[in-house]
Each structure stands twice: as C-alpha cells, then as structure tokens.
Amino acid sequence: MNTPSPTGAAPAAKTSRSDAPAAPPQVVEVGLGDRAYDIVIGRGVLTALGERLAALKPGAKAALVSDVTVAALHLGAVEKALAAAGIKTARVIVGAGEGSKCFSTLEQVCDELLAAKIERGDVVVAVGGGVIGDLAGFAAAITRRGLDIVQVPTTLLAQVDSSVGGKTAINSTLGKNLIGAFHQPILVVADTGLLDTLAQREFRAGYGEVAKYGLLGDAEFFSWLEANAAEIFSGGPAREQAIAHCCRMKADIVARDERETGDRALLNLGHTFGHAFEAAGGFSAKLLHGEAVSIGMALAFRFSARLGLLPKSEVERVVRHLASVGLPTRAADVPFRWPDADRMMDLMAQDKKVKRGKLTFVLVRGIGRAYVTREVDPNDVRAFVAGELA
Ligand code: NAD
Ligand code: GLY
C-alpha cells in the first residue's frame, strides 16, 4: 500500500468538516490508452467540474441525470459549476433507489436525453450514487449508439467503486446487473464534501466496498482501516485518503483487465453470495448493495475457512471489523425471511460469472489474499449456505 501511510495512528477526534482547510485534490489516472481518464478526488472539487469538462469537450451541452433526493440537495451546485464554464444543461430526474435500475426507467432516461436534443458531441453527467451511475452510464452507452459520460459520484460506494471502471447495468427480474455494457467515463469528479448529506446507513454500506479492497488484495490497507475507520466515518482526512487509495487500486486493476477476463473478478469478492441475497431481498431497501456485499464477504471468508484455506482467527478478525462499524455479517443480521438454500443456489447460478454452468467464486487464503476459482463443489456450497440460513 502506498498511501494512505499506514501509521496505525489512533482515530482522530470528530472534526467539523466544513471548518477544515481543504486538502489539495488527488488525481488518479485510469490508464486505458486513448480512453484514459482522471478521477479527481477532494472536498470542493465540484467547483472545477465545468472547467475540466469544457477542456475535454469544448462547446458540449450536458444532460444531468440524477435522482430526486440528490437533485434536491446537489444539482444546483453542479449546474452552477457548469454554467460558470458556459456549459448549457438539461435535467433528467428519476426516482431514488435500486428500483430505478430497470427497463422502464432506462427507457425514460433515453427518451429524455433524446427530447433534450443531446447529440453525439454532447455529454451525459451522472450525479448520484451507484444506481444513477449504472443507469445513466448504460443509457449513455446505448443512446445514439454511444454518448460520452462523466461520473459525479455522490455516495461513498460510488466514489470508491461504481463510478470507476466502466461497468454499467440495470437489473433483470432474473438477477442483478444482467443487462448492461462496458462504457468508460471520460472523467470522474468525486467531491467528498457531497458525502456530508449522505445517510449514515448509506455511508456504512459504502464502507463495505472500502473494506473489500483491503480484504481482496491489501492486508496493510485493511490494518490501516481497522485503525482509521472512526476518522473515515467522522469525515477527517482519512476519508479522502481511503477513497483515493481504493480508486488507485481499482484503476490499477481496470487498466490491467478492463473486461474482467482475469484479475478484475477479484473486485467481486463477496458478490456471488451478496448478489443472491440482494436478489432474494427484491433489490429493495431491506438490504442495500453494500450490506449484501458485507454479508457476502463474511460468507466468502467463512466458506474459505471451511475449505481449510485460512485459520478461523482471520475470519473472526474480518467479521469483528465489519461488525464494529455496524455492517451485517450474517443472514440473521437482517430481519427478513430468506429463501432456502436451493433458491439461493438458483440465484447464484444466474450470476454473470457463471461459465459453462460452473460458478466462479472469489475465495481467500487470508486477509488481502483473494483468488478466483471455478473449482468449487456446488454440494459444498449448498451445504454451507443451508448452514448459514439455518
Ligand atoms: P444509490 O445510488 O441508490 O444511493 C443510495 C441512496 O443515497 C439513494 O437513496 C440516493 O438518493 C441517496 N444519495 C446519494 N447521494 C447522496 C448524498 N450525497 N446525500 C444524500 N443522499 C444521497 O446506491 P449506492 O449504494 O450508491 O449504489 C449501489 C449500486 O451501485 C448498486 O446497484 C450496485 O449494483 C452498483 N454498483 C456498481 C458498480 C460498478 O462497477 N458499476 C460497483 C459497485 C456497485
Ligand atoms: N465492482 C466490480 C467491478 O467494477 O469490476
């Protein structure tokens, strides 16, 4: 791990973020050749959005896609930043939450982009969490056979994960993210100040994806998180450091394996189990994506320990940390009547990572030592899941 420096420092006292002097923005490049783009991270970086966009696409109009909640809180500031650079805007607003990743809302967004006369040389700007990023990104990928997309992520989850890497999708009744396209953004602007209005439960769900980076490939970062989680939650400098570190890790993986033929699958740690739980919960507020990932990661660690891949003490350490920030780590942590193991196996079988009928799993040999395998006996998985649901 390069940054944040793993000082092991004790969590800082809670600070008032708006009074804190803004640190200079951090810029992470996603190295994809002629499709390379910057992720700009920091408090207040939104004010430079217009300037950056005008430099990339002189004369372009911008369609701002957002949800009702984010629009009420932050769209005015986005419009102001774009107007300052002379960029004309149109608004496309959809309902908030996972339910908007569906065909009917996708149709609404595409139609409104066309009605606003957004042309090939214009740009779509996704202002919101992962739902808006995935939905607007997919709409941009298919409208007029492809419009450029800028991501302005407003949740922790979107700032560390979904806004970067070009995966876009909606859900099908048959499973999560099954209809989509790879469509890289031309710019990501992650203003950490926007997280100040995010509900605690949503912030916590996003922290599940932050922890994922340590668990999949950076044990030192996981130790740093154990020491600095309190400051990340309270909004101290550790928050920006953690976001930038996750973006660097993701940028590195995406640059190596954009289309997920290898290493990128590591980013799915906890997702095979997690997506099944999310689908079983009806993609609803009963279980947020990041919460499902948290349960899924705990299951991936417990299942790996059952296979003898790592000692139980490692599993306990992971579960202790996730639980310490209030994330669920077991099905029973969520008050919901889960389907039985056979139904969960059916849901897992719909995973995009199934190849010739074989499930792909991300298992672990320890914290920071994840690997991808197809050599998992479905009977072992069924028995394990049945035990977890009991
Ligand atoms: P989300 O977009 O639904 O946002 C969560 C809630 O927070 C919404 O109600 C939203 O209105 C509200 N909100 C957003 N920003 C806010 C702010 N600044 N202040 C106040 N409220 C705010 O959910 P999410 O957790 O950001 O994203 C989850 C989605 O991301 C899932 O659909 C998941 O599949 C997807 N995802 C995609 C990728 C990818 O690589 N494309 C990676 C991880 C997750
Ligand atoms: N969130 C998984 C990926 O981007 O590959």
Side-chain angles (χ1 to χ4, degrees):
M1 195 183 87
N2 298 323
T3 52
S5 63
T7 56
K14 193 171 166 60
T15 45
S16 164
R17 288 308 93 217
S18 41
D19 298 342
Q26 304 200 46
V27 181
V28 176
E29 194 199 37
V30 184
L32 288 170
D34 59 1
R35 292 174 300 116
Y37 55 93
D38 284 343
I39 312 165
V40 185
I41 304 151
R43 181 168 282 274
V45 293
L46 186 60
T47 51
L49 174 67
E51 205 181 306
R52 286 182 183 274
L53 184 49
L56 286 172
K57 289 189 76 73
K61 194 158 88 176
L64 312 181
V65 181
S66 194
D67 71 35
V68 281
T69 308
V70 178
L73 291 164
H74 299 299
L75 214 55
V78 176
E79 285 165 336
K80 195 171 160 202
L82 294 172
I87 297 172
K88 292 201 174 67
T89 55
R91 284 180 168 213
V92 178
I93 310 298
V94 304
E98 189 70 30
S100 282
K101 279 178 58 169
C102 65
F103 277 110
S104 61
T105 311
L106 176 71
E107 186 180 5
Q108 177 203 333
V109 174
C110 295
D111 280 349
E112 291 193 28
L113 291 177
L114 295 172
K117 299 197 165 54
I118 296 300
E119 300 167 358
R120 278 264 178 94
D122 293 326
V123 64
V124 177
V125 182
V127 184
V131 165
I132 290 299
D134 282 10
L135 173 72
F138 188 34
I142 59 176
T143 303
R144 296 194 198 279
R145 295 210 178 96
L147 298 167
D148 281 342
I149 175 97
V150 168
Q151 295 279 354
V152 178
T154 65
T155 62
L156 178 62
L157 181 143
Q159 294 194 351
V160 298
D161 195 350
S162 60
S163 64
V164 175
K167 279 190 182 176
T168 72
I170 57 169
N171 301 322
S172 152
T173 45
L174 293 176
K176 174 90 178 157
N177 290 337
L178 293 182
I179 320 284
F182 283 97
H183 188 51
Q184 296 291 344
I186 59 167
L187 174 69
V188 180
V189 173
D191 187 330
T192 55
L194 302 183
L195 303 180
D196 291 349
T197 56
L198 192 60
Q200 181 76 353
R201 183 182 173 201
E202 297 289 353
F203 190 90
R204 195 185 294 128
Y207 186 82
E209 301 275 17
V210 173
K212 179 185 79 178
Y213 287 95
L215 296 176
L216 73 89
D218 192 339
E220 210 179 330
F221 182 53
F222 186 75
S223 301
W224 183 86
L225 289 174
E226 288 176 311
N228 289 280
E231 189 183 323
I232 293 169
F233 275 80
S234 70
R239 183 181 287 182
E240 272 82 27
Q241 289 173 25
I243 293 169
H245 187 76
C246 295
C247 286
R248 265 190 288 276
M249 282 186 74
K250 181 148 187 187
D252 186 47
I253 292 174
V254 169
R256 281 204 310 272
D257 179 24
E258 182 184 4
R259 294 279 171 144
E260 199 172 298
T261 53
D263 272 9
R264 185 164 181 171
L266 292 171
L267 291 168
N268 299 323
L269 174 61
H271 284 58
T272 302
F273 289 122
H275 281 173
F277 276 95
E278 230 184 321
F283 302 123
S284 68
K286 284 181 196 115
L287 185 67
L288 302 177
H289 175 74
E291 295 169 342
V293 168
S294 177
I295 295 177
M297 291 191 300
L299 261 66
F301 269 78
R302 278 199 287 278
F303 186 60
S304 299
R306 184 181 160 114
L307 297 177
L309 292 166
L310 77 165
K312 277 201 176 130
S313 56
E314 290 265 287
V315 184
E316 282 157 12
R317 186 176 157 202
V318 172
V319 167
R320 196 162 49 241
H321 181 59
L322 295 173
S324 76
V325 300
L327 280 167
T329 59
R330 292 188 174 277
D333 291 344
V334 181
F336 183 64
R337 222 179 133 81
W338 296 110
D340 64 14
D342 285 336
R343 173 73 186 131
M344 293 304 254
M345 291 299 289
D346 285 347
L347 290 169
M348 280 190 254
Q350 271 295 351
D351 198 276
K352 292 185 295 313
K353 295 167 289 290
V354 171
K355 257 197 187 161
R356 294 189 192 96
K358 278 193 163 183
L359 277 173
T360 305
F361 272 92
V362 185
L363 298 182
V364 282
R365 295 193 179 92
I367 290 170
R369 295 179 61 210
Y371 70 101
V372 181
T373 178
R374 274 182 202 93
E375 302 312 314
V376 176
D377 183 342
N379 294 321
D380 284 352
V381 181
R382 184 181 281 100
F384 169 72
V385 169
E388 289 285 328
L389 292 169

